[in-house]
């Protein structure tokens, strides 16, 4: 009697349980195109009596022409889009190679003939960390002519920000200025980018395929009869895992100005794995009170049926589970102004600076309350952005917590316009779920924020506020591995007695010698404010010594202020204690980043 796999029920009597487990593990990371290729590879081995490779399916290049995809990603979205496009292009028979910009040898650019750039923008129009070197190179005098290059650029951004997709615009302009040929117009994607990316992929892929075919390349993809490859289920953004909330515990004091929660979530049964430095994506639901406020303000019936893509559902369900309500954005103001023909809003839309200032302090409900006018249910739905998941730096190591994942979440909460406002995901995690209830999650890997491979390497961790989260994971991992490398934490928050997050754990690591140094900056515990950048400056000589010894330098937290202040402090201490001028200090820090010894997880 033959046995079968629990996932598919297919007979696998010729394989032992151990062999099947090894095969399942090996194919789990592969995409559809790669699985197809592997099926051909294995069939070729089976058909060859000598055991040498004679694949009956292969993609055999007739020239060196290939489509190169380069991505720059701060949070993982651009990487995901790049990987998705690689699979799409390969399925269309286009030969593709994919690189993170940080791993790409810039000198190869002059030899490329076909290129796709997928890049995000963060902060005030800044390139993501892994794109900085290539971004700066293309703007420098070192960049040579690229007249042989055909390219397309896809940018990811958020139109709520002033410098929407600025990094993609920069790449597009600089490639064109160097003589490269734009094969398709740049696509600037907003936060709800899935449909736009699909349409763009279908448009540009035939163009690249035609170009490559003219250069003598035909990728042969031959289907193999009688060979079936098991579909591999992988939980991701589009297919999240229904996890279980285990704990939501406030870890700041009663008198703290912050409400920060330690969250524990069970991943049991998911097969999901993560490494310190990765993030957890959380699909959240808007608070019922917020949905009720919006329905009341617009005199809408919660049970009205609306359409979102191919799904028909009640308006209340759509507002709760499908649409973005806690972040405001220009596209809503524009649509609402045009629908209501409100003269003040129409005028505001024309002034981008004033509009950004207006949106900075308002949620959707505030705009509607200020300019009330009834709209139809479907009209409202069409004005609102799709809800997007929030990413949180993981605060645990699986070596320590196994089938759990821990987060450190600051509840966004403030009073404005006559009532209390809360953030969408933070309120959902802090107050919206009871222990034992389920939530939809996925793991977002971050290869640009990882512990050094050598456990003897010293690490310096700068993480004020909830920026401490990944460093708790780092320490759990180094403890589990019995890593010999020195560890130094710079942590800051308003008050020692109220806001020292995970204090007992950090004190234990100090006592046991795992944490070599800890430098604390509690801003409100003295007359003048002290922040982590001040502690860095004070300890500059020893910090530089650690860097000279090969230390890796990590920063996690606020991108707009803290990360910039820490970067400036790093440059100054390198210049002072390395006896360098400002240009040399810049080169030194740039070299750290290039060697992946200076890594940031900023938001």
């Amino acid at each position: 009697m033959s046995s079968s796999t629990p996932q598919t029920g297919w007979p696998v009597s010729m394989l032992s349980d151990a062999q099947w487990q090894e095969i399942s593990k090996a194919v789990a990371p592969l995409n559809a195109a790669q699985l197809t290729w592997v099926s051909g590879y294995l069939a070729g081995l089976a058909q060859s009596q000598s055991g040498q490779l004679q694949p009956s399916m292969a993609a055999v290049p007739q020239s060196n022409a290939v489509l190169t995809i380069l991505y720059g990603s701060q949070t993982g979205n651009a990487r995901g889009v790049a990987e998705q496009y690689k699979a799409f292009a390969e399925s269309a028979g286009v030969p593709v190679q994919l690189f993170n910009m940080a791993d790409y040898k810039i000198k190869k650019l002059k030899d490329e003939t076909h290129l796709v750039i997928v890049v995000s923008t963060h902060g005030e129009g800044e390139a993501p960390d892994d794109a900085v070197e290539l971004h700066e190179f293309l703007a420098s005098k070192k960049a040579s002519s690229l007249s042989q290059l055909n390219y397309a650029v896809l940018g990811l951004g958020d139109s709520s920000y002033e410098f929407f997709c600025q990094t993609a615009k920069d790449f597009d302009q600089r490639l064109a200025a160097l003589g490269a040929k734009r094969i398709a117009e740049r696509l600037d994607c907003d936060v709800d980018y899935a449909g736009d990316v699909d349409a763009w992929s279908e448009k540009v892929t035939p163009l690249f395929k035609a170009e490559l075919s003219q250069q003598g390349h035909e990728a042969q993809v031959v289907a193999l009869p009688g060979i079936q490859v098991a579909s591999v289920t992988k939980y991701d953004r589009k297919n999240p895992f229904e996890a279980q909330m285990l704990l939501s515990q406030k870890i700041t004091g009663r008198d703290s100005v912050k409400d920060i929660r330690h969250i524990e979530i069970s991943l049991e049964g998911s097969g999901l794995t993560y490494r310190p430095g990765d993030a957890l994506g959380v699909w959240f639901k808007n608070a019922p009170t917020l949905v009720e406020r919006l329905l009341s303000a617009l005199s809408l019936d919660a049970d009205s049926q609306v359409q979102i893509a191919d799904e028909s559902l009640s308006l209340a369900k759509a507002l709760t589970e499908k649409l973005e309500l806690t972040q405001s954005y220009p596209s809503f103001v524009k649509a609402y102004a045009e629908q209501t023909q409100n003269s003040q809003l129409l005028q505001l839309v024309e002034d981008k600076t004033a509009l950004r200032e207006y949106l900075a302090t308002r949620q959707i409900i505030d705009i509607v309350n200020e300019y009330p006018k009834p709209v139809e249910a479907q009209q409202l739905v069409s004005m609102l952005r799709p809800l997007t998941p929030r990413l949180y730096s993981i605060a645990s190591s699986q070596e320590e917590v196994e089938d759990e994942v821990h987060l450190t979440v600051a509840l966004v909460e403030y009073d404005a316009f006559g009532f209390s406002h809360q953030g969408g995901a933070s309120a959902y995690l802090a107050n919206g779920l009871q222990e034992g209830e389920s939530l939809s999650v996925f793991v977002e890997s971050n290869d640009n924020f990882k512990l050094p491979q050598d456990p003897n390497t010293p690490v310096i961790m700068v993480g004020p506020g909830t920026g401490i989260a990944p460093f708790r994971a780092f320490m759990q991992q180094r403890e589990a591995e019995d890593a010999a490398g020195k560890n130094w934490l710079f942590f800051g928050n308003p008050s020692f007695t109220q806001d020292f997050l995970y204090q007992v754990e950090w004190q234990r690591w100090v006592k046991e010698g795992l944490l070599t140094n800890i430098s604390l900056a509690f801003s409100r515990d003295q007359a003048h404010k002290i922040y982590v950048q001040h502690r860095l400056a004070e300890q500059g000589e020893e910090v530089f010594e650690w860097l000279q010894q090969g230390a890796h330098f990590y920063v996690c937290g606020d991108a707009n202020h803290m990360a910039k202040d820490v970067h400036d402090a790093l440059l100054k201490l390198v210049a002072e204690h390395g006896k360098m001028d400002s240009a040399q200090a810049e080169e030194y820090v740039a070299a750290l980043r290039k060697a992946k010894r200076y890594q940031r997880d900023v938001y």
Side-chain angles (χ1 to χ4, degrees):
M1 184 173 181
S2 65
S3 61
S4 62
T5 72
Q7 293 94 340
T8 65
W10 296 339
V12 290
S13 56
M14 296 182 65
L15 299 177
S16 68
D17 289 342
Q19 287 174 321
W20 178 251
Q21 289 175 4
E22 287 297 317
I23 290 174
S24 298
K25 182 178 179 180
V27 301
L30 304 183
N31 61 40
Q34 291 168 328
L35 286 169
T36 304
W37 192 93
V38 168
S39 72
Y41 178 92
L42 296 176
L45 287 178
Q47 293 170 3
S48 171
Q49 293 181 355
S50 65
Q52 296 179 348
L53 175 62
Q54 294 179 2
S56 59
M57 186 287 298
V60 184
Q62 302 302 318
S63 76
N64 292 326
V66 64
L67 174 60
T68 297
I69 304 173
L70 300 180
Y71 70 85
S73 182
Q74 194 70 35
T75 64
N77 287 345
R79 184 193 67 233
V81 169
E83 291 171 346
Q84 174 186 328
Y85 180 64
K86 177 178 184 288
F88 184 92
E90 285 176 331
S91 69
V94 177
V96 180
Q97 56 182 357
L98 175 70
F99 297 96
N100 183 312
M101 290 181 185
D103 299 327
Y104 181 73
K105 294 182 179 179
I106 293 177
K107 291 182 179 179
K108 290 179 59 180
L109 192 61
K110 66 180 185 302
D111 301 320
E112 302 286 1
T113 59
H114 298 82
L115 177 70
V116 165
I117 295 280
V118 181
V119 68
S120 62
T121 297
H122 77 104
E124 297 178 3
E126 299 166 14
D129 287 352
D130 52 4
V132 168
E133 186 181 2
L134 181 60
H135 185 259
E136 292 179 347
F137 171 80
L138 290 175
S140 72
K141 294 181 180 179
K142 296 180 181 179
S144 58
S145 170
L146 297 175
S147 58
Q148 84 292 349
L149 184 66
N150 299 278
Y151 77 93
V153 175
L154 187 155
L156 298 182
D158 185 338
S159 61
S160 300
Y161 292 91
E162 180 178 2
F163 300 99
F164 174 56
C165 287
Q166 185 60 49
T167 306
K169 295 173 184 176
D170 292 344
F171 273 111
D172 187 22
Q173 292 167 0
R174 292 171 188 177
L175 290 171
L178 292 169
K181 174 188 173 185
R182 186 184 296 112
I183 202 168
E185 289 300 312
R186 182 187 70 250
L187 175 64
D188 295 336
C189 295
D190 213 334
V191 292
D192 50 338
Y193 55 78
D196 292 336
V197 169
D198 290 345
W200 180 87
S201 300
E202 292 176 359
K203 175 183 176 182
V204 302
T205 303
L207 301 177
F208 279 117
K209 185 174 183 179
E211 286 272 343
L212 290 165
S213 296
Q214 289 175 9
Q215 296 191 20
H217 183 108
E218 286 293 339
Q220 299 176 3
V221 181
V222 181
L224 295 167
I227 300 294
Q228 286 184 302
V229 179
S231 61
V232 179
T233 299
K234 179 182 179 182
Y235 294 110
D236 56 19
R237 175 186 293 257
K238 294 182 179 179
N239 179 37
F241 175 67
E242 288 302 305
Q244 185 182 57
M245 171 68 78
L246 298 177
L247 177 70
S248 175
Q249 180 180 42
K250 186 179 179 183
I251 55 174
T252 44
R254 179 183 302 176
D255 298 324
S256 174
V257 296
K258 297 183 177 183
D259 183 342
I260 297 178
R261 304 297 178 97
H262 172 72
I263 307 291
E264 297 183 0
I265 297 168
S266 172
L267 299 179
E268 186 176 358
S270 69
L272 285 170
T273 60
Y274 60 85
R275 295 182 295 161
D278 289 344
L280 189 76
V282 176
W283 286 98
F284 64 96
K285 297 178 182 179
N286 290 309
T289 53
L290 178 59
V291 172
E292 291 167 7
R293 281 183 184 274
L294 188 58
L295 291 170
S296 176
L298 293 172
S299 303
L300 289 170
D301 183 356
D303 295 325
S304 298
Q305 289 296 297
V306 294
Q307 195 79 15
I308 297 180
D310 297 329
E311 184 178 4
S312 179
L313 66 168
S314 72
L315 178 58
K317 184 177 177 65
L319 293 176
T320 301
E321 301 179 8
K322 302 290 186 179
L323 300 167
E324 182 63 70
L325 302 183
T326 53
Q327 292 183 346
S328 53
Y329 31 91
S331 59
F332 174 80
V333 179
K334 181 179 180 181
Y336 189 66
E338 291 174 351
Q339 186 62 45
T340 61
Q341 284 299 298
N342 184 283
S343 59
Q344 289 178 284
L345 279 180
L346 289 169
Q347 184 177 356
L348 183 62
V349 168
E350 298 301 317
D351 187 338
K352 292 185 178 180
T353 300
L355 179 58
R356 281 192 302 274
E357 293 175 354
Y358 175 83
L359 292 174
T361 58
R362 289 169 172 81
Q363 295 183 344
I364 298 297
I365 183 62
D366 301 316
I367 301 168
V368 169
N369 279 338
E370 190 171 357
Y371 300 101
K373 189 166 184 178
V375 296
E376 295 179 3
Q378 189 63 49
Q379 289 174 336
L380 174 63
V381 167
S382 65
M383 295 177 197
L384 295 169
R385 273 182 181 173
L387 187 145
T388 54
R390 303 291 193 262
L391 297 178
Y392 290 97
S393 301
I394 292 175
S396 56
S397 163
Q398 281 192 301
E399 294 289 339
E400 171 72 19
V401 303
E402 298 182 343
D403 284 339
E404 294 181 10
V405 60
H406 297 177
L407 306 177
T408 310
V409 178
L411 174 62
V412 177
E413 190 171 26
Y414 60 95
D415 291 328
F417 310 107
F419 64 97
S420 177
H421 293 57
Q422 291 186 332
S426 65
Y428 179 68
L429 288 169
N431 302 318
L433 290 168
Q434 299 296 317
E435 293 180 9
E437 291 186 332
S438 65
L439 68 161
S440 301
V441 302
F442 58 94
V443 171
E444 189 75 54
S445 62
N446 184 357
D447 294 332
N448 300 315
F449 201 78
K450 286 290 175 282
L451 279 166
Q453 291 184 351
D454 183 354
N456 297 308
T457 303
V459 299
I460 301 169
M461 305 167 284
V462 183
T466 57
I468 202 172
F471 302 134
R472 181 176 184 260
F474 277 19
M475 294 300 290
Q476 288 183 354
Q477 185 73 20
R478 299 207 104 182
E479 183 176 37
E481 295 176 348
D482 199 22
K486 298 186 294 184
N487 304 289
W488 190 345
L489 174 71
F490 287 83
F491 172 71
N493 236 353
S495 167
F496 174 85
T497 59
Q498 302 294 318
D499 306 303
F500 193 169
L501 307 183
Y502 304 111
Q503 178 181 354
V504 172
E505 294 181 26
W506 292 108
Q507 290 176 332
R508 177 176 66 82
W509 284 323
V510 169
K511 183 178 180 180
E512 295 175 355
L514 182 65
L515 186 61
T516 314
N517 292 348
I518 184 167
S519 298
L520 303 173
F522 292 104
S523 59
R524 301 189 183 187
D525 281 354
Q526 57 282 313
H528 59 287
K529 299 287 180 66
I530 295 178
Y531 299 108
V532 287
Q533 63 267 23
H534 301 134
R535 296 302 188 207
L536 274 169
E538 293 170 1
Q539 304 293 329
E541 183 176 2
E542 188 175 359
V543 169
F544 185 70
E545 288 178 2
W546 280 45
L547 292 174
Q548 290 293 86
Q549 294 165 10
H552 286 215
F553 189 89
Y554 300 89
V555 182
C556 182
D558 169 58
N560 292 328
H561 301 289
M562 182 278 298
K564 292 180 179 179
D565 292 338
V566 167
H567 182 79
D568 290 342
L570 178 61
L571 287 171
K572 289 177 182 177
L573 73 85
V574 166
E576 178 182 355
H577 301 287
K579 305 284 192 292
M580 306 178 195
D581 60 30
S582 58
Q584 290 170 325
E586 290 274 6
E587 290 178 3
Y588 184 95
V589 172
L592 291 178
R593 177 159 34 208
K594 186 174 182 179
K596 295 191 174 182
R597 290 178 51 206
Y598 177 22
Q599 300 183 27
R600 305 193 307 167
D601 178 9
V602 296
Y603 37 85

